Amino acid sequence: MLMTDTHAAQLLEEITAELSQRGAEAGGQDDWHPFATRLRQHFPTLLTELTALYGDRADFRQFLRALIASALAAWQARPADLRALDAARETEPDWFQSHRMLGGVCYVDLHGHNLRGIAAQIPYFKELGITYLHLMPLFRCPDGNSDGGYAVSSYRAVHPALGTIEDLRALAHALRQEGISLVLDFIFNHTSNEHDWARRCLAGDPAYQDFYFLFPDRTIPDQFDATLREIFPDQHPGGFSQLADGRWVWSTFNTFQWDLNYGNPAVFKAMAEEMLAIANLGTEVLRMDAVAFVWKRLGTTCENLPEAHTVIRAFSALVRIAAPGLLFKSEAIVHPDDVVKYISPQECQLSYNPLQMALLWNTLATREVNLLQQALEQRHTLPPGTAWVNYVRSHDDIGWTFSDEDAAQFGIQGFDHRQFLNRFFVNRFPGSFARGVPFQDNPATGDCRICGTSASLAGLEQGDPLAVARILLLYSVVLSSGGIPLLYLGDEVGVRNDPSYLQDPSKAADSRWVHRPPYDAPGHAARYDRATPAGQIFTGMQHMIRIRQSHPVFGGNALTGFRSGNPHVLGYTRGSGSTAVLVLANFSERTQDISARTLSAQTALMRDLITGNLLPTRAGVSLAPYQVVWLESLA
Ligand code: GLC
Ligand code: GLC
């Protein structure tokens, strides 16, 4: 059903007339007016997106009315301080592009035992300069294996071991007082099989029967499986798992993570309510989990379908109406052509940059900057009002998601090169410094991904004297290449692989736990002791963070490639004119030179912001093994 503008306007009038009454009753005109203004502004977008998904249903208008009533209820429940934040964000929509931004990510239990323990860490976060804190999933989830909390049983209750909803609200507030934005996951592709919706669905409750994808036998699952990629082949083959009663349920990830059916508007509405409730706790950024998978269609890979984008844009339009301060960060760990499709002011304003992440590690292995330089030059630019979240590693595996076509330009064959990278990072390649662990090794397809902490992958575990320099090199790129740099907390003191997960039956089958060690108390205690690797990494990183945070040129997302003329040296410029900074990064364990000719367009004298050294460019520049310089021009 395509709606004309007149119809849309009529529909809006109907809905507002009805709601204005309710709005006035519940919260008074002060409440209703800002909502009504934003509703008018964003209704056309919301309507377009929802019409594309559900417009041909007989109950569409009813659904729309109920959805907007839910949005109004969420707005009415939105605390005053968050409404003030909304207003501030609306006047400064590019706040996240600031050079002061620095992200950190950690598990609540591993890093601080519970939410109060995380609050007690605020002085430490400030010592580092963190302005954005992603707390890993903290809502109620099954005992035992819960995929690290990514199987949510209730979005309205904190996991009892971590605290309460009130603790979470208080933490969000305390963080905000200190200039730190709370980031939480929005795990909306699936719920745990213990979620109330799942239980009711299983029990045949008609209101919930279409919430998930349940099949009586293998007929339809077989048809879908013919074109699906296996995400966790170690856990179960294909995209479905069998229930005790013999039926099959769609479970892209683990058997206990049931995919939601967004073909059903009731699912959209139910999740929208959960989303706005999470926003109202004081969350400033939602990490949109597993975005690629949320829509399914027979005969496709069921990844990155156009409707997945429509679902997210519809959520985003609702947010603009009822919690406008909130941003979305896309978690699409897919082909780079698909990653960027989630990024726009109307969809996800932020996105992980999995290509840069994977290519940082690739470059350490090959010592050749070709692919990374190409990615910075050709795949870094984003639309205005959006930015990358750049990172060295996350709680997940490293997958080699570069484009085969890009690689082919350098004569690199994608499949073979991935085999090399996997061998290199699990130390099955002569001379490798890395001590990684394979993840979801799939002999049938040759697919494999890599686990390991930054320190262990960079050589610290095997005592390589250059490991510290490698870690700082990777973080230097993340800190200087634009967007929001994201630090996996613990990396700053060089946490190593933790094989103890093998002793825990609920974790042993998932090697990602090797790089999720508990808080490293000795490492933190030594963080200012430059005789230790922890101290060298911490002080080196803190130094670069401070430089970033005192130079506006590092803000924003824009970057210009700079060809160093040396295959081992990455180059790019941030900013332009007299405040521009030229970054040169040596990805090899040998000294590398940049010729005077390459630098001929630069000023005769430059200063390295990192060491403070003056460099006469007419003599060329020489970089020590793994050295990076951030060069400012001197007149
Ligand atoms: C995301 C998470 C990952 C989880 C998966 C399923 O990719 O980062 O840890 O296993 O989604 O929720
Ligand atoms: C993510 C990614 C996949 C990743 C996994 C978590 O959504 O698509 O590549 O490895 O889930 O491990």
Side-chain angles (χ1 to χ4, degrees), residues 107 134 136-137 146-151 185 187-190 231-232 252-254 257 287-291 293 331-333 352 394-397 439 449 510 512 516:
Y107 285 89
H134 173 205
M136 295 296 293
S146 63
D147 190 16
Y150 279 100
D185 280 271
I187 301 155
F188 67 109
N189 173 69
H190 46 267
I231 305 303
F232 286 174
T252 298
F253 296 91
N254 289 286
Q257 288 164 300
R287 173 191 180 277
M288 306 296 281
D289 184 60
V291 288
F293 303 93
E331 190 248 350
I333 315 301
Y352 280 106
S394 72
H395 69 288
D396 279 333
D397 44 287
F439 180 65
R449 285 113 78 184
D510 186 340
R512 290 175 297 170
R516 302 168 179 173

Side-chain angles (χ1 to χ4, degrees), residues 369-384:
V369 299
N370 46 15
L371 286 172
L372 184 54
Q373 184 77 36
Q374 178 194 47
L376 287 174
E377 291 176 8
Q378 295 174 17
R379 293 188 179 272
H380 186 86
T381 303
L382 290 179

